[in-house]
Amino acid sequence: MSKIVLAYSGGLDTSVLLKKLILEGNDVIAMTADLGESDASTALSTGSASGDPAAELELVREKAIALGACDAVVIDARERFVSEYAYCALRANAKYEGIYPLSAALSRPLIGALLVETAHAMGADTVAHGCTGKGNDQVRIELAVRALDPSLKVRAPLREHPLSRPDAMAFAAEHAIPLKHTAEKPYSIDANLWGRSIEAGILEDPWNAPPEDVYAWTASPQRRPAEPDEVVVTFEGGVPSFDGDRGPAMIAKLNVLAGRHGVGRIDLVEDRVIGMKSREVYEAPAAVALVAAHQALERLVLTRDELRFKAACDQKYAELTYDGLWMSPLRTALDAFNATSAQRVSGEVRVRLHQGNATVVGIRSPFALYDETLATYGQGDAFDHHAADGFIRLHGLPLDLVARTGKRSLAMDTA
Ligand code: ARG
């Protein structure tokens, strides 16, 4: 018998796990992390990030207690998720395979950290999660736990005994576990402030277009406003703010605004950590708009060399995050690099939201390296055109040399 902290969402799988671990004779503490999922989930239907997320999470906590958990905690980790995870990823323009802003991937190391902290606080020797054996999330949670406390035991009951949906439903019925899921929408959904992921069901065949019912945060093409909205995102040292707010509430608000225009719909066949390909649909209105804005501002204020070098670092950053290596020394080192270049990533970005696109239409910064008097083709051109002549001669010198030897060797060949 162990004392186990279980990462608990309140859904079918983790409720079945909770019960099974209790039936094994363990003391189980349910740990639920609030990463802002419900702040955004009611957005499209109500037009505002309302609902009552706190009340919803209290119901999850009560459900765990009703199922026999010896304790149940809900941890509000929204602020931490945004400042220590999402905004670090934003400074890296992080998109896996150039497309997916890594919403789920960013949340798992934080959930791992919260499991470890809860285990320490409650004197538990084991942590558990409901990930299956073929997904990415098991890797991310467990590598975070190992990095923070290798002495903790980790249980992954769905890997020990894979559970089919009908079996889970039957077990739930037998043990009075209330069901919210219906048979018609058999998607696996994960969400937090940085985005929503939808997989399984009809999406498993990549030939099937995603049906409209997979989307909850983004408007369908028919329901998008005819007129664009424009937002001005302000960056200070790489940290965004909008309407004077830089925290979770700002991201929730941006999810609503950009989601109304259908911004951030992604349909991707991606490469999982364990080697297989999978098809995932995402909605990430705020993340997509913010990365576009951040990247445009970087192009204005960073030097050519910084941008070229950083592009390679950014790709590595996304891969580390996706692959569960968030807690690795390389990620920390890349954060230090990004923190240095971010010192000049301050300014304002105008983003136009319209018909599924977040388009940057204006940028300005006190650190702009763009100089209109150099760039202009109009009056007041300050560029020294004559200097270009000498530059081209020296820049092309190696080519001159090769061309000369080339002629010589050709001459020898034909001699
Ligand atoms: N494929 C994404 C990732 O690995 C999302 C996984 C989230 N899970 C889900 N049930 N949709 O980061």
Side-chain angles (χ1 to χ4, degrees), residues 100 104-105 136-137 140 188-190 197 199 270 280 282 322:
Y100 158 47
N136 298 318
D137 293 335
R140 297 164 181 160
S188 165
I189 294 170
D190 180 82
S197 346
E199 65 180 343
E270 68 191 33
E280 192 100 29
Y282 300 99
Y322 190 90

Side-chain angles (χ1 to χ4, degrees), residues 225-241:
E227 294 302 316
D229 274 312
E230 218 169 87
V231 295
V232 176
V233 181
T234 303
F235 285 88
E236 245 183 83
V239 177
S241 66

Side-chain angles (χ1 to χ4, degrees), residues 335-408:
D335 269 343
F337 171 70
N338 291 340
T340 306
S341 58
Q343 286 169 4
R344 278 179 291 126
V345 185
S346 296
E348 289 174 302
V349 186
R350 281 169 52 204
V351 185
R352 188 170 293 165
L353 309 167
H354 197 218
Q355 302 298 352
N357 297 307
T359 311
V360 173
V361 293
I363 26 173
R364 63 179 174 195
S365 163
F367 303 103
L369 301 181
Y370 177 88
D371 183 341
E372 201 174 342
T373 65
L374 290 178
T376 185
Y377 287 99
Q379 298 286 309
D381 183 359
F383 184 75
D384 179 359
H385 288 254
H386 298 294
D389 178 38
F391 167 74
I392 292 168
R393 260 188 275 152
L394 299 187
H395 194 52
L397 187 54
L399 301 181
D400 285 359
L401 296 172
V402 173
R404 272 189 243 158
T405 58
K407 257 185 218 142
R408 211 182 299 141

Side-chain angles (χ1 to χ4, degrees), residues 77-151:
R78 289 174 293 180
E79 189 66 53
R80 187 168 164 190
F81 177 60
V82 168
S83 61
E84 294 173 29
Y85 292 78
Y87 285 175
C88 291
L90 177 62
R91 277 198 289 273
N93 302 307
K95 286 187 178 176
Y96 182 61
E97 299 188 329
I99 296 176
Y100 158 47
L102 292 156
S103 45
L106 286 163
S107 72
R108 279 3 184 224
L110 175 53
I111 292 170
L114 294 171
L115 284 172
V116 172
E117 289 160 22
T118 308
H120 289 171
M122 306 244 183
D125 62 357
T126 306
V127 297
H129 61 75
C131 307
T132 69
K134 60 180 175 185
N136 298 318
D137 293 335
Q138 51 171 352
V139 181
R140 297 164 181 160
I141 291 178
E142 292 187 33
L143 293 191
V145 171
R146 295 244 318 256
L148 296 170
D149 183 355
S151 74

